[in-house]
Amino acid sequence: MQYTKPIVMLKSLSIFIVALFMAMAVSSATPRRQLIDDNWQFKLLSPDSTAGNADAWTNVDLPHDWSITRDFKADYPSGNDGGYVITGRGLYRKNLNIPAADAGKRHYLYLEGAYMDAKVTVNGDSVGRRPYGYSSVIYEITPQLHPGDNLIEVDVDNSRQKNCRWFSGSGIYRHVWLFTTPEVNIKPWSLYVTTPKVSAASANANVTFDIDNASDKACTITPSITITDSEGKVVATRTGKPVTASARQVTPCTMELTIDNPALWSPDTPALYNLTVSLAADGNVIDSVDEHFGVRTFEYSADKGLTLNGKPIVLNGGCAHHDNGVLGANSYDAAEARKVSLMKQAGFNAVRTSHNPPSPAFLDECDRQGLIVIDESFDGWRDSKTPYDYSRDIDQWWDKDIESMVLRDRNHPSIFCWSIGNEVIERKRIEVVTTAHKLASLCRKLDPTRPVTSALAAWDSDWEIYDPLAAEHDIVGYNYMIHKAESDHQRVPERVMWQTESYPRDAFANWCKVNDNPYIIGDFVWTAIDYLGESGIGRFYYKGESEGEHYHRNQWPWHGAYCGDIDLTGWRKPISHYREMLYNPDKKLYMAVREPDGYYGEIKETQWSAYPTWESWNWPGHEGKQIDVEIVSHYPRVRLYLDDKLIGERNVSRDTGFKAVFHIPYTPGKLRATGIDTNGNEVEEVTLATAGKPAAIRLTPDRTNLSADNQDLAYIVIEVVDKDGNVVPIADNMIEVSVTGNGSLIATGSADLKDASSYKSPKRKAWKGRAIAVAKSSHNKGTIKVKATSPGLKSHTVTLKSVK
């Protein structure tokens, strides 16, 4: 035993106790940060937007998206782009009680996101407006508040359609917080942590923040900083020199600390540190702020590619819209955590937040779970893509919205790059370079540590003319244009590129580009997860159904996009397993079956589709007819068996795209694929068996313990199974879900994006044998019972626990 350890531990413990008492002194009364999502009232106004003929006030908790509350309808003005949902204008109000003890303190209202054009009043006085529905905003509301009851009102107007090219949701769809601070405080969003010097031995943490003195008197403030690791151990601490905070002034402050033997953040090891900054006056702590951060070093160049912490890394990325599928735009923390988890399970190591800043909870989970982020600001700039999009607001609001994104997000270690736009329409006009320069320059001013990108595209033969626009970026984004990479590299050899959008079916070709060319540092498929809106993109269809792409004509009853590697229930499509295998050689064997052309109809594909392929060996009526079994593998050879009879053996390599396809007559039974190593041994197998008739329902929750905070969620996968427990992949039974106890059912859904019934409905038709339900906790601890029934099937109940 090392007897020096207890001394170190006692020293750390004493620092921790001091920090604890400092925090207790600050939080002995009202917490600095309070979630105020509960107990709002909501009113959806009629189209003429007068309160007199509006719906009645109803009680709601946030997050709240009124667009997802009703059935999808073909005549809703959001249309094909927005997902055929109700929009309009809504009013929110909440009574906010300010204790008398908080008189003289400062108060801020923090809206993480309200779509869109949210106007805020407090006790009848206007405190601000933000047209862009994806921006977070902080309003100081101290002058408008008084001790006792106060009325907060938020007018959210999403009536001007169309204003977005995908499902936006409508309402206060993210959290709302109340900050309560002393007159002298750490200014919100001013805390900024960088680690400019990193080695295995140490990391320098540079911490800057603003001391904001709203009082009429100057005062002397002593700042201090404590850094703890993921286990709560103090790894660095420092007390700064006293600072004079002038009256009615903001005083910048900078402090440096050293972390010995730092744990480095990466997708494989997402190590996080916690930073506590405290301000003391006359020996008493008056304000304190916590922030997590990570220590990591990105470097990139055209000749060496991308490295993270000195190690080469290739980005296997996916684009992701902000919605949470069956929950609409509602940004519950558990939903954001699940989205990141699904991407990680699918082998992604990076995400592009197309085409707007995501929720803070999503970025927190990227930090915790290890997902590299391109944080994107806007879809377009000055030329419109829809009649009421950001082009109407950019001149007045671009700097405020960029500032909101960068100041809010710059401490997230997951964020590698800022993106300032996507496929801007005015790309051929020289003014586009000026716009890009202004946006990029502001990003670099607010955060000099990260590169800037945007997604460039061309719909004609003009591409090289964008060189002046590309030069405004540190990394150039290519949307579907990576075939230009080699010639661009010859012309501009120092350019670093990534494909910011790619077609799902081009997974192998894009992997080759990234794998073979160091100046191409990653590929981001469109998209990682199916989403609402852009209705019909990625679909396959059958002859006789509506032709063309989602932008050619309305594709009702499609109300969402089927181009994701992962569907709305969380099921990974075969293209997902193939993509993961390309980027991860440790994943060695997968098997699926291509739908026979003509089985349901003559198959038609679209640009963003992948050929319909399923984990199914149930094809009744197709007996004796040819069917294709597809095996993807990193083994040099694979074999296929049917009912233990050898069907054939194939070589697999890069030359075959790591695929082997067997053309065989369909016979019910059990398929078995095996991987053969270089010694000729079968070392791994996967199977697909013909399922029997539907006999029962099986429920599988993603978690069984929830927090009793009126916010936590459990996602319950619903499967139709045969008598032996095998999923019936062709089952389409109608299932009814009920939730009793200390929770509620907030959504059901399937991956069928032509099902126009509301996701709020407790009844859901299974699609490909599968559906999903989402249960939410209440404030009460206890049990939550989820039951699923269907005529003729054995029901199933699962019990969840909700704990304080």
Side-chain angles (χ1 to χ4, degrees):
M1 178 179 289
Q2 296 290 331
Y3 288 99
T4 56
K5 279 289 184 183
I7 298 174
V8 174
M9 291 176 64
L10 284 172
K11 180 179 179 182
S12 299
L13 181 62
S14 65
I15 295 171
F16 174 75
I17 292 173
V18 170
L20 178 62
F21 275 105
M22 290 165 64
M24 290 174 62
V26 173
S27 60
S28 59
T30 303
R32 191 183 202 274
R33 177 182 170 103
Q34 299 177 74
L35 185 65
I36 57 171
D37 281 356
D38 290 347
N39 302 318
W40 288 74
Q41 288 188 309
F42 170 71
K43 178 186 289 188
L44 181 60
L45 301 186
S46 298
D48 59 10
S49 297
T50 61
N53 59 10
D55 293 344
W57 288 100
T58 58
N59 294 322
V60 299
D61 296 326
L62 307 182
H64 180 251
D65 171 15
W66 77 72
S67 285
I68 205 65
T69 58
R70 303 188 185 183
D71 289 345
F72 301 88
K73 291 186 178 180
D75 59 354
Y76 278 143
S78 57
N80 209 60
D81 299 79
Y84 299 104
V85 294
I86 189 172
T87 51
R89 179 180 164 215
L91 303 179
Y92 294 85
R93 67 186 186 189
K94 178 181 176 63
N95 179 63
L96 187 65
N97 185 270
I98 301 298
D102 288 344
K105 293 185 178 180
R106 301 174 71 177
H107 304 277
Y108 303 83
L109 191 69
Y110 175 27
L111 276 70
E112 290 186 356
Y115 202 90
M116 62 176 292
D117 200 8
K119 305 176 186 68
V120 180
T121 60
V122 177
N123 292 325
D125 293 337
S126 173
V127 297
R129 169 186 176 233
R130 186 57 66 99
Y132 193 42
Y134 299 113
S135 279
S136 296
V137 61
I138 299 175
Y139 299 113
E140 181 166 6
I141 58 174
T142 307
Q144 289 79 24
L145 293 179
H146 53 71
D149 290 337
N150 297 264
L151 182 63
I152 308 294
E153 296 176 289
V154 185
D155 182 334
V156 183
D157 191 351
N158 194 21
S159 62
R160 291 180 294 277
Q161 293 293 322
K162 300 175 181 179
N163 56 55
C164 194
R165 294 190 302 119
W166 56 89
F167 172 88
S168 63
S170 301
I172 309 179
Y173 65 101
R174 295 178 184 164
H175 295 310
V176 177
W177 302 83
L178 178 69
F179 297 163
T180 302
T181 76
E183 281 193 301
V184 181
N185 67 21
I186 300 167
K187 185 179 179 181
W189 284 353
S190 70
L191 179 57
Y192 180 36
V193 189
T194 60
T195 53
K197 296 180 181 180
V198 178
S199 68
S202 67
N204 288 1
N206 186 288
V207 183
T208 64
F209 53 92
D210 291 338
I211 301 173
D212 188 358
N213 183 359
S215 74
D216 294 325
K217 296 181 180 179
C219 59
T220 300
I221 299 295
T222 302
S224 62
I225 297 177
T226 300
I227 298 175
T228 56
D229 63 15
S230 59
E231 297 178 351
K233 177 185 176 183
V234 175
V235 297
T237 185
R238 181 180 175 187
T239 299
K241 296 180 179 179
V243 175
T244 299
S246 301
R248 302 290 179 182
Q249 296 292 322
V250 173
T251 304
C253 189
T254 299
M255 298 174 66
E256 291 187 4
L257 298 88
T258 299
I259 303 171
D260 293 329
N261 305 312
L264 303 183
W265 187 95
S266 73
D268 293 331
T269 58
L272 294 176
Y273 290 94
N274 189 76
L275 177 81
T276 301
V277 179
S278 299
L279 305 182
D282 299 325
N284 297 313
V285 174
I286 60 170
D287 197 21
S288 182
V289 173
D290 287 300
E291 180 72 282
H292 71 254
F293 72 101
V295 178
R296 85 289 186 279
T297 302
F298 282 104
E299 295 180 337
Y300 57 92
S301 66
D303 57 337
K304 296 183 179 179
L306 178 66
T307 63
L308 173 57
N309 303 325
K311 299 178 180 178
I313 185 171
V314 169
L315 299 182
N316 174 25
C319 299
H321 273 315
H322 77 292
D323 73 87
N324 281 306
V326 298
L327 299 182
N330 288 312
S331 181
Y332 293 96
D333 291 2
E336 304 292 5
R338 175 178 178 268
K339 185 187 294 185
V340 176
S341 178
L342 289 174
M343 290 190 66
K344 289 285 291 185
Q345 291 171 34
F348 290 110
N349 63 6
V351 61
R352 172 180 174 232
T353 69
S354 43
H355 305 290
N356 50 263
S359 72
F362 180 79
L363 294 175
D364 286 341
E365 289 301 327
C366 291
D367 293 343
R368 294 185 186 111
Q369 298 186 45
L371 198 61
I372 296 168
V373 178
I374 301 175
D375 199 354
E376 192 155 271
S377 55
F378 311 123
D379 181 30
W381 294 342
R382 288 190 167 80
D383 281 12
S384 65
K385 298 180 179 180
T386 59
Y388 297 97
D389 65 10
Y390 194 69
S391 63
R392 299 166 65 92
D393 299 310
I394 185 170
D395 285 333
Q396 182 180 351
W397 291 95
W398 71 268
D399 53 345
K400 301 175 184 66
D401 289 321
I402 288 286
E403 185 177 80
S404 172
M405 177 182 74
V406 178
L407 293 183
R408 188 196 72 171
D409 296 346
R410 59 187 177 176
N411 291 322
H412 288 282
S414 59
I415 296 176
F416 165 50
C417 191
W418 306 114
S419 173
I420 56 176
N422 173 66
E423 298 179 354
V424 295
I425 299 298
E426 65 268 38
R427 63 196 183 281
K428 291 189 177 183
R429 295 206 306 270
I430 192 62
E431 293 86 354
V432 75
V433 179
T434 303
T435 302
H437 183 78
K438 289 199 299 185
L439 270 60
S441 295
L442 182 55
C443 288
R444 296 180 184 117
K445 175 183 176 182
L446 298 172
D447 176 29
T449 71
R450 289 180 174 90
V452 174
T453 192
S454 75
L456 307 186
W459 297 277
D460 51 31
S461 59
D462 292 331
W463 173 255
E464 289 78 10
I465 65 169
Y466 304 139
D467 282 356
L469 175 59
E472 293 296 330
H473 304 87
D474 302 298
I475 302 172
V476 181
Y478 286 55
N479 277 11
Y480 314 103
M481 296 297 296
I482 208 64
H483 59 278
K484 291 286 189 177
E486 287 86 351
S487 58
D488 284 4
H489 179 63
Q490 292 296 319
R491 190 178 68 258
V492 192
E494 70 277 7
R495 180 181 294 177
V496 179
M497 317 169 189
W498 47 22
Q499 189 163 214
T500 33
E501 288 181 27
S502 64
Y503 298 115
R505 65 161 65 93
D506 292 342
F508 177 71
N510 291 325
W511 172 81
C512 291
K513 293 281 190 185
V514 171
N515 185 73
D516 298 346
N517 300 290
Y519 51 88
I520 307 173
I521 63 174
D523 176 68
F524 290 77
V525 68
W526 191 269
T527 58
I529 305 173
D530 285 351
Y531 58 93
L532 306 183
E534 287 191 279
S535 304
I537 183 175
R539 72 191 180 112
F540 63 91
Y541 61 99
Y542 303 109
K543 185 177 180 180
E545 296 180 338
S546 177
E547 298 281 338
E549 300 291 341
H550 63 290
Y551 52 79
H552 288 146
R553 60 187 56 86
N554 287 347
Q555 299 294 351
W556 175 263
W558 286 86
H559 62 268
Y562 195 69
C563 51
D565 275 22
I566 305 163
D567 72 20
L568 287 194
T569 71
W571 181 72
R572 292 178 59 191
K573 302 172 189 177
I575 189 65
S576 169
H577 293 273
Y578 182 44
R579 191 183 319 282
E580 180 188 21
M581 195 168 293
L582 291 172
Y583 288 89
N584 185 354
D586 292 336
K587 302 291 183 180
K588 291 184 177 295
L589 191 65
Y590 176 77
M591 174 172 60
V593 177
R594 292 167 63 88
E595 181 180 314
D597 193 9
Y599 186 79
Y600 294 109
E602 183 180 335
I603 295 171
K604 301 285 188 179
E605 290 196 70
T606 55
Q607 269 185 292
W608 282 266
S609 70
Y611 190 89
T613 307
W614 312 101
E615 294 173 356
S616 172
W617 195 236
N618 277 63
W619 303 96
H622 199 71
E623 289 80 5
K625 300 177 182 178
Q626 287 296 113
I627 195 167
D628 290 347
V629 179
E630 189 173 275
I631 302 172
V632 295
S633 180
H634 274 299
Y635 292 107
R637 294 183 67 79
V638 295
R639 291 180 185 139
L640 179 67
Y641 297 86
L642 178 58
D643 291 334
D644 294 325
K645 179 181 177 180
L646 180 64
I647 298 297
E649 184 172 324
R650 298 276 192 279
N651 291 328
V652 182
S653 67
R654 176 168 171 163
D655 290 340
T656 69
F658 303 106
K659 285 185 180 182
V661 179
F662 294 82
H663 311 278
I664 66 173
Y666 172 68
T667 304
K670 182 180 180 180
L671 287 176
R672 180 165 58 92
T674 63
I676 306 169
D677 66 13
T678 53
N679 296 319
N681 300 314
E682 295 185 355
V683 292
E684 186 179 352
E685 70 175 34
V686 292
T687 62
L688 286 174
T690 305
K693 295 180 180 180
I697 299 171
R698 180 168 64 211
L699 301 181
T700 307
D702 65 344
R703 54 209 296 239
T704 55
N705 290 322
L706 278 68
S707 297
D709 58 4
N710 201 36
Q711 291 276 340
D712 210 359
L713 307 178
Y715 284 79
I716 302 99
V717 172
I718 305 167
E719 295 170 310
V720 179
V721 298
D722 66 11
K723 62 182 179 62
D724 297 319
N726 301 305
V727 176
V728 184
I730 57 174
D732 60 358
N733 305 68
M734 181 63 75
I735 298 165
E736 184 167 4
V737 182
S738 62
V739 173
T740 57
N742 296 295
S744 59
L745 177 69
I746 62 169
T748 67
S750 75
D752 181 8
L753 291 164
K754 293 186 286 186
D755 182 349
S757 59
S758 168
Y759 289 127
K760 292 291 186 181
S761 172
K763 294 183 178 180
R764 185 65 49 188
K765 196 174 186 180
W767 192 67
K768 306 295 183 184
R770 184 177 170 102
I772 198 166
V774 186
K776 183 173 79 73
S777 68
S778 68
H779 282 298
N780 299 318
K781 65 179 182 179
T783 59
I784 303 171
K785 291 186 180 294
V786 182
K787 183 178 183 180
T789 62
S790 181
L793 301 183
K794 183 179 179 181
S795 64
H796 191 197
T797 301
V798 293
T799 300
L800 315 175
K801 291 183 180 179
S802 182
V803 298
K804 289 289 186 182

